[in-house]
Amino acid sequence: LNMGCVPSKSLIHAAKLVHTVKGNQAALADAGITIQGGADSVSIDFAKIMERIRRIRAGISHHDSAERFTKELGVEVFMGRGTFVGNSSVMVNGQTLKFNKAVIATGGYPSLLPMPGLKELHQMNTNPGNKPRPYVMTNETFFNMTEQPQHLVVCGPGVIGVEMAQSMQRLGTKVTVLGRSGRILPKEDDDHAKTIQDQLEQDGVEFRLSVTEYVGVVLTGNILDNG
């Protein structure tokens, strides 16, 4: 909720507003709305967009909090690592809990590609700003950005990767999407995926979908012209 659904939809909302204003000048004019200077006069405050996302996350954090579940919903919450120690018992931090039925709903964590150098860059976890340092992100750190990257590479053309790619492109970042399957959205119908890819390409997203191997990433200290 706090690291995916809500912040991503907040970013998509901002990107959609930009696209509506910059991409539909004729429709706006037909509705009697004119932007002085046209689409090029629309300015984007990326830091403010991200600040709004963090504000929204803070506003909903209570709904997923242990405090709400215990004090408002009457649920006993035990924080810690659970280990099954019997057919009807689990141990959490040295305390044994009994149950009739158990549901395992642990959620998931992002994983990095097994690419040499990627883990080390991710561990730096530093927003590049004007420094010659790539910022390797997962869904847990993506929405912590304060500086807008000039160029963003998205590894994986699934639903989340595609929606973030389109949003960032519409906000002014040059985006390249990498994949191995030869297409985007491999779990969706071919015609639907093609329609969506066509739209993203119109937005300016670049696709390289026939990657055979992720060889590695090296920090050279050089900044290319494309950022």
Side-chain angles (χ1 to χ4, degrees):
L1 184 64
N2 287 300
M3 296 181 180
C5 296
V6 171
S8 66
K9 301 310 175 287
S10 300
L11 185 69
I12 291 170
H13 172 70
K16 184 177 181 180
L17 290 176
V18 171
H19 179 69
T20 299
V21 173
K22 297 182 69 172
N24 293 305
Q25 294 292 300
L28 289 172
D30 185 60
I33 301 171
T34 302
I35 299 176
Q36 296 296 326
D40 292 338
S41 67
V42 177
S43 62
I44 298 171
D45 189 335
F46 186 79
K48 191 170 183 177
I49 290 172
M50 301 307 289
E51 188 278 330
R52 173 179 177 270
I53 290 174
R54 288 189 289 275
R55 189 172 67 249
I56 291 173
R57 290 172 67 180
I60 65 169
S61 61
H62 171 71
H63 297 289
D64 266 358
S65 67
E67 181 183 28
R68 172 174 176 262
F69 275 78
T70 55
K71 294 184 177 180
E72 298 179 20
L73 303 179
V75 178
E76 289 186 280
V77 178
F78 297 85
M79 306 296 291
R81 184 179 183 87
T83 303
F84 287 101
V85 292
N87 293 331
S88 60
S89 59
V90 62
M91 181 175 289
V92 182
N93 293 340
Q95 183 176 357
T96 301
L97 308 174
K98 297 290 185 177
F99 60 83
N100 292 323
K101 294 183 179 180
V103 176
I104 301 175
T106 57
Y109 295 91
S111 60
L112 297 174
L113 292 170
M115 183 194 310
L118 190 66
K119 181 179 179 180
E120 289 74 16
L121 283 178
H122 180 256
Q123 289 175 339
M124 290 180 181
N125 199 27
T126 303
N127 195 304
N130 294 323
K131 299 177 183 178
R133 176 181 294 170
Y135 187 28
V136 178
M137 299 171 287
T138 67
N139 69 299
E140 292 184 342
T141 55
F142 184 89
F143 299 105
N144 295 332
M145 280 192 296
T146 56
E147 301 269 352
Q148 182 169 9
Q150 295 180 47
H151 190 189
L152 176 69
V153 174
V154 177
C155 295
V159 174
I160 297 174
V162 166
E163 65 180 7
M164 292 299 95
Q166 183 181 52
S167 296
M168 292 299 293
Q169 181 74 42
R170 287 182 169 182
L171 290 172
T173 293
K174 175 57 185 173
V175 179
T176 302
V177 178
L178 306 180
R180 293 181 172 182
S181 63
R183 53 165 291 184
I184 70 169
L185 305 175
K187 295 183 179 181
E188 307 300 329
D189 293 342
D190 290 344
D191 54 343
H192 292 173
K194 184 180 184 306
T195 298
I196 294 172
Q197 183 174 341
D198 289 345
Q199 177 59 60
L200 265 69
E201 288 176 341
Q202 290 180 32
D203 291 334
V205 177
E206 179 182 355
F207 290 94
R208 299 182 184 181
L209 302 174
S210 298
V211 176
T212 57
E213 181 183 4
Y214 292 102
V215 178
V217 56
V218 178
L219 182 62
T220 64
N222 300 322
I223 302 178
L224 304 179
D225 293 338
N226 64 1

